[in-house]
Amino acid sequence: MPDREDAEIGELIGRLAADDSMDRETRGRLLGRLARLLGGSARRAGATGVARGRWLGDLLIAAAPHIPVRDVETLRAHHHGLSGEDLADNLVRVAVNGTTAVGAAGGALAAVQFTAPPLLLSAPAQLAAETLVIAAIEVKLIAELHEVYGVRVHGSGATRAAAFLTSWARQRGINPLETGTFTNALGSAAKVALRKRLLRTLGRSMTTMGPFLTGAAAGAALNRTATKKLATSVRDDLRRTAGAPAPLPGEPPALGSP
């Protein structure tokens, strides 16, 4: 049963990160389901693993193969033929809308919880659900921005996933010519950085627990600002890298591929 629930957690995170047009009711329902699954997962992980971010980090690493990443041709088709900076602008807008919606949905759930005190017991799991989905949306954005700027990370799905998770943790773009050989697993330093970044995002998600709908407004605003800041940093790096010789051609970074 735990293995089946862990697989569903990854699938839910991927679905919530991927669907740009998801309606508020569906998003709230899926976040609620994810929170319930995370409650059981947190109990199995133990208080120490949860408090230090190890639990969140492991869940995000496991969910990475479920995050769908489109190649540049698919992105152009989905965004009415846009390319270059215009396409990147659209990707950022969609991601910002996504993380904003997650913050608003979490705040709306919190408003219900504050009117029903027994449900407050589920608040930590709700925060974890928001945190993981926000991270997944931003990892997806980073991976697709690399596609737009022609900075591709090649290798297995696990290798690409590790590279983009590290990029998200450090809030920087990837330069394949400087980073050296990628591995299919995160190193200890990258895992520490990932846990720290997740805990910062968790702290941001805590604003959604404000009473009534004040948390929804605060959570949405903070997520919007943070995602825009991340996108600006990554795009600045990718513009610089794109001026270097292009890497050898190969598969686009679809994180779920073997």
Side-chain angles (χ1 to χ4, degrees):
M1 182 66 73
D3 289 343
R4 185 182 305 170
E5 289 182 353
D6 288 346
E8 186 178 355
I9 287 171
E11 291 168 2
L12 282 169
I13 293 170
R15 183 177 173 187
L16 283 159
D19 194 339
D20 302 338
S21 58
M22 186 177 293
D23 61 83
R24 183 180 301 179
E25 181 180 352
T26 302
R27 183 179 289 106
R29 177 173 54 80
L30 293 180
L31 276 171
R33 172 60 178 166
L34 179 58
R36 287 190 291 275
L37 290 171
L38 290 175
S41 176
R43 286 190 291 273
R44 293 193 296 273
T48 301
V50 171
R52 293 180 179 177
R54 184 181 297 111
W55 171 64
L56 282 173
D58 289 346
L59 285 172
L60 184 57
I61 292 169
H66 297 280
I67 302 173
V69 176
R70 297 163 292 185
D71 61 31
V72 68
E73 290 78 13
T74 303
L75 288 169
R76 287 172 180 161
H78 285 184
H79 291 269
H80 310 290
L82 293 177
S83 62
E85 295 292 340
D86 290 335
L87 178 55
D89 287 342
N90 243 26
L91 291 180
V92 173
R93 177 186 57 79
V94 170
V96 167
N97 288 344
T99 57
T100 298
V102 170
L109 289 174
V112 174
Q113 291 177 347
F114 271 93
T115 63
L119 294 179
L120 284 171
L121 294 174
S122 67
Q126 177 195 314
L127 294 177
E130 289 179 48
T131 298
L132 289 167
V133 174
I134 290 165
I137 291 172
E138 293 182 344
V139 169
K140 181 175 186 287
L141 171 63
I142 288 173
E144 292 185 342
L145 285 175
H146 281 73
E147 271 290 292
V148 171
Y149 286 96
V151 182
R152 290 181 170 180
V153 176
H154 303 290
S156 67
T159 298
R160 294 190 292 270
F164 292 122
L165 288 172
T166 302
S167 177
W168 179 78
R170 295 174 177 169
Q171 306 281 280
R172 300 295 304 271
I174 299 169
N175 185 344
L177 301 180
E178 293 180 355
T179 309
T181 303
F182 292 108
T183 63
N184 62 3
L186 292 170
S188 57
K191 285 184 177 179
V192 170
L194 183 67
R195 292 166 190 162
K196 288 181 178 178
R197 179 59 56 186
L198 281 164
L199 289 176
R200 291 191 189 100
T201 306
L202 179 66
R204 195 167 86 219
S205 297
M206 289 180 68
T207 59
T208 66
M209 299 306 296
F212 305 106
L213 293 178
T214 59
L222 285 175
N223 288 347
R224 182 167 56 248
T225 299
T227 302
K228 285 182 177 179
K229 181 179 179 181
L230 166 67
T232 297
S233 175
V234 170
R235 290 176 73 178
D236 285 346
D237 286 343
L238 292 177
R239 288 186 190 104
R240 287 190 289 269
T241 302
L248 295 174
E251 291 184 351
L255 301 189
S257 63

